[in-house]
Amino acid sequence: MALSVSGGAVFTILLVSRLLESSLLNAEVKEGEILPPTIQRLMKGYNKYLRPFFDNGPVTVGMSLDIASIDTISEINMDYTATIFLRQRWTDERLVFEGNKSLSLDGRLVELLWVPDTFIVDSKKSFLHDITVENRLIRIFPNGTVLYALRITTTVACNMDLTKYPMDKQTCTLQLESWGYNINDVMFYWTRGNESVSGLDSLQLAQYTVEDHYTSVSEAIYETGRYPKLVFHFELKRSILYFILETYVPSSLLVVLSWVSFWISLSSVPARICIGVTTVLTMTTLMMGARTSLPNANCFIKAIDVYLGICFSFIFGALIEYAVAHFCTLSHADSHMLLYGHRMHDFDDEMNGIVTTVSGHAKRAARRKEPAPSPAPTPAATEHAVSPASPSGSEPKAEEAPPEPTHWCVTVLVTLRKILRSSMNCCHVENPHHIDNHSRVIFPLSFVMVNLLYWTYYLYF
């Protein structure tokens, strides 16, 4: 019984070993299908750690780009995110084979070949798409030329000048460099010059339009040496229509709304104050909302900030205009009452003088009718002898004349009073309603002139 059990175990072990051998053989057959004899001959003695032409000068690598999309352009982070197809071409003399057809290989075979160590300068984060497999392409031509293509999504920094925001133009770059090989080992070039980059003409961006793009070749100089670098420049122009509808039109309408108070009576204090305060608060909210989409720690004074500041100044000026007009109305009423009191006082003094003069004339006429022992004085002497302030004429003029010092003091006081009145008359408004009448013309004309200067400067300078 024990012998039968041990014989069965040995049979099971032999069966499992046979199955493993058959699976290994199948795997070898599959590898043979992936690596045909041509590739096997190419890979024989190939060292992927040594670049082509290792002892015969630098290897030249041609680059071309296809911009699939530019997903986002962020002013807050000052970067853009793009998906690109990067194609690299170089010649490897070790991969020359006979024939007239190219070999398209699985992208995973790139691990067996030497490839350039290209990287994207100023890239914040990048990744290679791997759905459903890694998006790589490798193609070998009979003359040893290798085509290597990648699909990459990258977020690249872009320094932006926002002083003319939202009427600005931004120039961003995509720079490609070699990480470890200097110009003595590798040389980069654009395969077709400016036409090496395609796809921008068909892009549809949310706030921008691509105005121009071009390529350049340069070198990156570091402490470790000089490295090849290719630069792709593209210029983006912001579409201003969105900002006109979102910010410029509402702020301009708020300024016009503040002018409605010029047609409301000065006595309607609640109505005019309500319009002024409401427009000021609404403008403040609009200014705060316009800043939320931009960097908080930003040293730029943007064009939109200038316009919002202009609108806020006009709205606040309309509120101050009513305060000035209302104050002038109150001062004008007080001055009218004071002037009326002065006129009544002068009228009373004039009436008293008339009565005194009439009584003086009557007394002089009665005195002339009475006989007198002495000859009557002449009218001229009588006028010199009678004081203007004494209707009876019984006291001489010499006794009524004020002392000389008092006369000079009165003259100085009268002069100071005239100067004070003239200075107050310069700031005096005859009719406070004229302030509103003038404001109805001055405010709109000033706003139109400022708008002409603003748009001319930011659009053409």
Side-chain angles (χ1 to χ4, degrees), residues 248-262 275 279 283 307-316 318 443-444 447-448 451:
Y248 284 94
V249 171
S251 58
S252 300
L253 291 179
L254 284 176
V255 174
V256 175
L257 179 61
S258 67
W259 299 341
V260 175
S261 62
F262 300 152
I275 291 178
T279 51
M283 192 67 209
Y307 192 83
L308 292 176
I310 291 172
C311 294
F312 184 83
S313 301
F314 273 91
I315 292 174
F316 190 75
F443 272 76
F447 189 67
V448 170
N451 269 271

Side-chain angles (χ1 to χ4, degrees), residues 52 59-62 88-92 114-116 138 144-146 148:
V59 56
T60 57
V61 180
Q88 305 177 79
R89 293 174 180 267
W90 68 93
T91 300
D92 193 339
W114 177 90
V115 294
I138 189 75
T145 300
V146 181
Y148 180 44

Side-chain angles (χ1 to χ4, degrees), residues 246-247 282-294 308:
E246 185 75 13
T247 303
T282 307
M283 192 67 209
T284 304
T285 305
L286 189 63
M287 294 172 67
M288 294 176 62
R291 292 193 181 97
T292 55
S293 61
L294 294 174
L308 292 176

